[in-house]
Amino acid sequence: MAPHSNVRRALLLALACAALWSRNSDHSEVGFLAGPGGPPPKEPSPARSAPPRSVERAAGVDANAEPVTGESSIVEEILAGISVAFSLLSKAIACSAIVGTGPLVGLWSSVALGFASLFGMRPGVVAGSAAVVVVPLGAFVATNGLGLVPLVVLLAALIELVAGLVGFARTLDLVSKEVLAGFLNALGLALLVSQFGALSTPMGFGLAAICAALTQFLPSAPIPSSLVGLAVATAVGIGFNFDVPTLAMKAKDPTAFAGGLAALPQFQLPQMPSIDDVQLALPCAISIAFISLIETLLAARVVDDRKCEDLCTFFYDENGELVMQGGDPEAPLQVDVPTSTVLSLAAGNGASVLLGGFGGAGLVPQTVLNLNSGGRGQWSIGSYAASMVIFALVLAPFVGQISVPALAGIMVQVSLDTIQFVPTFDAIKNAFEGKEDDAKIRLGILVITAVLCYQVDFAVGIVTGVALDKGAEALKLKKAD
């Protein structure tokens, strides 16, 4: 195994202990499964409630967006789902390229997660192929090949299942804004570096720049800006006869973009792995499971913020006790929304393995686009998943003509949006100005988290950041006493 495997295990154990302490301490007596005899909901204390828009700001989403309330018609929901599918089409293909699989595998992974989201996912959350999953998975494939990808994703799904059963959603409160910024900085940098191969020629760089600029500066409605950028950059390459590869050229299977029933994924049952295979795949699976859980729960929080609901937001009463919203204390044993969201994610990733996919997570940008486009419930999610099927079966020949540098341009733009420039600059400024006593410590946590996420492993970086964050809080409280 890798030399740092023992360190990874110790750090993950530390997070588990921290989460357990957080749930069992005197300010966390409310469990995740609400049943008869459980404590009735209490009014949340405004001072302890989650700050509005904090998740959107941390994820690089416009914090000034207006809340979305009310119901949408079925037609509005369906159109919202189609818009989401268009916005995710290019990214799903790009995710396939990062992992090194067939170009349509990302679409089928999104289909599996989309349909699984209809059962338990927080309404409004869009799940599909995600950079947080494919970046570490791509690094694993580069070292170990594609053969163990199904095992990695299946183990990640099992870990997510266990996480749902033990109430992992509660541990999201352990992730501070510095830890989140460090993680996103490392993720954005890794994603940016992974695109350098497609930008190695002047023509490729130029097409990528055109696509990235249009994606960044054009409005996202009524036509997704990423789709416009992709079409324009591809058309420029064809018009000027640039010698750049297309997705069809890069495909290992010449029939990958033929469309029709032949494009349907083959149902695959995972083979019984050996102990050595499990030991090799488990560290990557832990990393993928952890960061996909965080990303999905962040997307659920975004829906809470935008819809002015509290289904996936944690509040505390005046005694510091956790108050879960949206539950009926008189109802029979039931699963709360954050837990059902985690279980739905696990089901979607497990289903993607059966379709030969590589899984994914909840997606903050697509979730916001869904809400802005009128998507409020399950109709938009079903429309999104069905549209991805149509892309694979009917529109695949057109998809195959997309140029690889244009696709890289979208991922460059996504990587730059992922990097937390403003929060990082603010942390540096606060540390040097000395306005807060612990500003230098907060900056150190951000930097250490980012370095470990990029150089070692995403899960190691996040767990280390959480451990340092909690240690700093304990030290601060000790000094205050």
Side-chain angles (χ1 to χ4, degrees):
M1 296 184 64
H4 55 268
S5 59
N6 291 332
V7 177
R8 181 188 290 109
R9 289 176 177 174
L11 291 172
L12 290 172
L13 180 60
L15 178 64
C17 292
L20 186 61
W21 170 83
S22 179
R23 291 184 65 205
N24 291 333
S25 62
D26 58 358
H27 60 274
S28 303
E29 296 178 358
V30 181
F32 270 80
L33 296 179
K42 303 177 182 180
E43 291 298 324
S45 171
R48 296 293 303 279
S49 62
R53 298 289 190 272
S54 59
V55 176
E56 292 194 33
R57 285 194 295 268
V61 177
D62 181 11
N64 296 318
E66 292 295 326
V68 292
T69 56
E71 298 294 330
S72 297
S73 67
I74 294 179
V75 173
E76 289 175 323
E77 293 268 352
I78 292 175
L79 291 177
I82 294 173
S83 178
V84 167
F86 270 117
S87 72
L88 188 56
L89 169 63
S90 53
K91 295 176 184 178
I93 296 173
C95 286
S96 301
I98 292 173
V99 177
T101 62
L104 298 184
V105 173
L107 270 68
W108 292 117
S109 298
S110 298
V111 169
L113 283 156
F115 282 123
S117 298
L118 298 175
F119 307 95
M121 188 75 71
R122 197 258 189 261
V125 172
V126 176
S129 300
V132 294
V133 171
V134 300
V135 170
L137 190 58
F140 176 85
V141 170
T143 304
N144 303 288
L146 286 169
L148 293 179
V149 168
L151 177 60
V152 171
V153 180
L154 183 60
L155 288 174
L158 292 175
I159 293 169
E160 291 160 358
L161 175 62
V162 173
L165 295 176
V166 301
F168 174 88
R170 174 67 179 88
T171 63
L172 183 61
D173 272 6
L174 298 175
V175 181
S176 67
K177 62 180 181 180
E178 290 80 16
V179 174
L180 180 60
F183 156 65
L184 291 174
N185 285 345
L187 176 63
L189 181 59
L191 190 57
L192 180 63
V193 171
S194 70
Q195 304 304 309
F196 282 175
L199 310 178
S200 58
T201 66
M203 290 180 291
F205 183 86
L207 293 181
I210 292 173
C211 184
L214 292 176
T215 301
Q216 177 67 34
F217 296 112
L218 288 181
S220 59
I223 301 175
S225 59
S226 61
L227 192 65
V228 174
L230 203 60
V232 171
T234 299
V236 169
I238 295 174
F240 287 93
N241 198 26
F242 283 174
D243 185 18
V244 293
T246 64
L247 290 176
M249 294 177 186
K250 295 284 288 185
K252 299 176 182 178
D253 181 3
T255 64
F257 290 100
L261 296 180
L264 287 171
Q266 295 183 351
F267 184 80
Q268 301 178 11
L269 285 176
Q271 298 180 350
M272 183 64 66
S274 65
I275 298 299
D276 290 340
D277 289 341
V278 173
Q279 289 180 335
L280 192 62
L282 188 58
C284 183
I286 292 174
S287 176
I288 288 174
F290 189 82
I291 57 182
S292 63
L293 285 166
I294 295 294
E295 178 83 357
T296 302
L297 291 171
L298 287 176
R301 286 278 190 93
V302 167
V303 179
D304 270 12
D305 282 351
R306 296 296 304 280
K307 295 182 69 174
C308 300
E309 296 176 349
D310 301 326
L311 298 183
C312 291
T313 302
F314 299 100
F315 294 89
Y316 302 86
D317 65 10
E318 64 278 0
N319 298 320
E321 294 183 351
L322 177 67
V323 179
M324 289 303 303
Q325 305 295 304
D328 181 4
E330 303 299 329
L333 188 66
Q334 62 180 2
V335 178
D336 59 73
V337 177
T339 298
S340 66
T341 296
V342 171
L343 295 177
S344 177
L345 174 67
N349 281 329
S352 76
V353 174
L354 300 179
L355 298 180
F358 46 70
L363 305 165
V364 172
Q366 273 67 38
T367 296
V368 173
L369 175 60
N370 182 43
L371 296 171
N372 290 345
S373 303
R376 305 287 190 272
Q378 306 294 50
W379 277 101
S380 64
I381 303 303
S383 171
Y384 142 69
S387 297
M388 298 298 277
V389 173
I390 294 173
F391 291 155
L393 300 183
V394 180
L395 302 180
F398 299 99
V399 174
Q401 299 308 309
I402 295 173
S403 73
V404 173
L407 202 58
I410 290 180
M411 300 313 292
V412 167
Q413 185 269 330
V414 171
S415 67
L416 294 177
D417 279 351
T418 301
I419 296 174
Q420 302 295 285
F421 293 105
V422 174
T424 302
F425 175 78
D426 289 343
I428 295 173
K429 182 180 178 181
N430 292 336
F432 282 96
E433 290 182 351
K435 292 182 178 180
E436 300 177 9
D437 294 338
D438 62 344
K440 292 183 179 179
I441 295 177
R442 312 309 305 176
L443 175 61
I445 292 173
L446 189 157
V447 172
I448 292 172
T449 300
V451 170
L452 288 178
C453 282
Y454 185 78
Q455 293 289 350
V456 182
D457 184 90
F458 286 101
V460 170
I462 293 176
V463 172
T464 303
V466 169
L468 292 174
D469 188 60
K470 293 305 169 186
E473 286 185 7
L475 184 61
K476 186 176 181 180
L477 290 175
K478 186 176 181 180
K479 287 183 178 180
D481 293 339

